Amino acid sequence: KYVIKSHASSPSQIIYEAQYVGGNYKDSNLVIFSGGNRQDKRYANIYQKYVNNATGDSIPVNRIWQPNTDNFKRHLKLGESNYVVIVSSDEAFVSSALSVFYRLNVANEETTFTVFGLDSWKGFGSLDYDYLMDLKVTYPVQQYIPYSNLKVSHFVKNYREVYYTDPSPHVFSAFDIAWYFSNSFYEGKGDWELSLIHI
């Protein structure tokens, strides 16, 4: 109870994404794919539990051992919109899957895809940007900095004036954490137990 984590773990992100997908696409052709490794299976089970709670339905996880056209195609509705979740942190698997969906999309204009993935994808260097854009790939990220926001641009301007450089993502995190706690203490939100340490 004395620990506060400032960044969501991968399972926490999966839970929130599953709730979002289930709540927004429950009446759509929603398909969940998972790779074959142990972590993919664990994350897929978490995803399935929360997406099923959100949809009120029982959506299966399709485990794919070989990411090829035939293995994916049998679970999709060609000529329609498909909302596809790929629960995998395996870069080769994800890259192959996106390639399959892209080819299916190009082969039939009526077949469209919206793909949901994991936060680990942001570190994948082999994902083709055309695939990401055409397949409307969406995945959670720990931190998003909206530079067009006036408060953010004001913060960046002030930081540059003092430090002669742009703030790093760590600087933004530190500011957000300090802002959250200082306001919470000031406004009396939460059950904060403060103790003074005398040295």
Side-chain angles (χ1 to χ4, degrees):
K1 67 178 183 177
Y2 298 110
V3 174
I4 294 172
K5 189 171 182 179
S6 63
H7 284 93
S9 65
S10 291
S12 294
Q13 290 184 33
I14 287 169
I15 289 168
Y16 287 113
E17 182 182 318
Q19 291 171 333
Y20 169 81
V21 170
N24 288 284
Y25 301 100
K26 60 184 170 187
D27 297 323
S28 307
N29 180 38
L30 182 57
V31 186
I32 304 173
F33 291 111
S34 169
N37 70 41
R38 181 184 295 168
Q39 181 174 302
D40 288 354
K41 183 179 179 183
R42 176 176 167 250
Y43 286 172
N45 289 338
I46 295 170
Y47 206 107
Q48 182 183 33
K49 175 183 175 182
Y50 285 91
V51 83
N52 286 348
N53 287 343
T55 60
D57 198 357
S58 181
I59 298 170
V61 172
N62 304 292
R63 291 191 80 191
I64 305 292
W65 300 95
Q66 292 293 327
N68 59 44
T69 303
D70 290 336
N71 287 338
F72 284 115
K73 199 162 71 168
R74 70 179 66 145
H75 303 288
L76 302 169
K77 292 186 179 175
L78 300 183
E80 298 182 28
S81 295
N82 294 270
Y83 296 87
V84 176
V85 178
I86 304 175
V87 186
S88 179
S89 297
D90 180 349
E91 184 171 356
F93 180 90
V94 172
S95 184
S96 296
L98 294 181
S99 177
V100 167
F101 300 142
Y102 182 79
R103 287 195 308 271
L104 290 172
N105 180 245
V106 169
N108 184 341
E109 290 183 3
E110 301 299 315
T111 304
T112 62
F113 294 94
T114 300
V115 177
F116 299 94
L118 306 180
D119 65 321
S120 57
W121 292 17
K122 67 182 175 292
F124 293 174
S126 66
L127 302 185
D128 189 299
Y129 284 106
D130 288 338
Y131 297 179
L132 297 175
M133 297 302 291
D134 287 351
L135 300 173
K136 301 183 235 25
V137 173
T138 303
Y139 54 83
V141 292
Q142 285 287 353
Q143 184 179 39
Y144 171 71
I145 303 167
Y147 285 98
S148 59
N149 180 291
L150 289 176
K151 289 181 180 178
V152 172
S153 60
H154 181 70
F155 176 79
V156 170
K157 179 178 176 285
N158 288 340
Y159 190 88
R160 284 176 181 161
E161 288 175 1
V162 174
Y163 299 104
Y164 304 102
T165 188
D166 284 348
S168 70
H170 294 297
V171 170
F172 282 102
S173 288
F175 177 84
D176 289 343
I177 293 165
W179 184 265
Y180 171 80
F181 284 110
S182 61
N183 282 313
S184 295
F185 290 144
Y186 178 75
E187 295 171 5
K189 293 180 181 175
D191 184 19
W192 306 109
E193 293 183 19
L194 298 177
S195 61
L196 296 176
I197 299 174
H198 297 284
I199 298 178

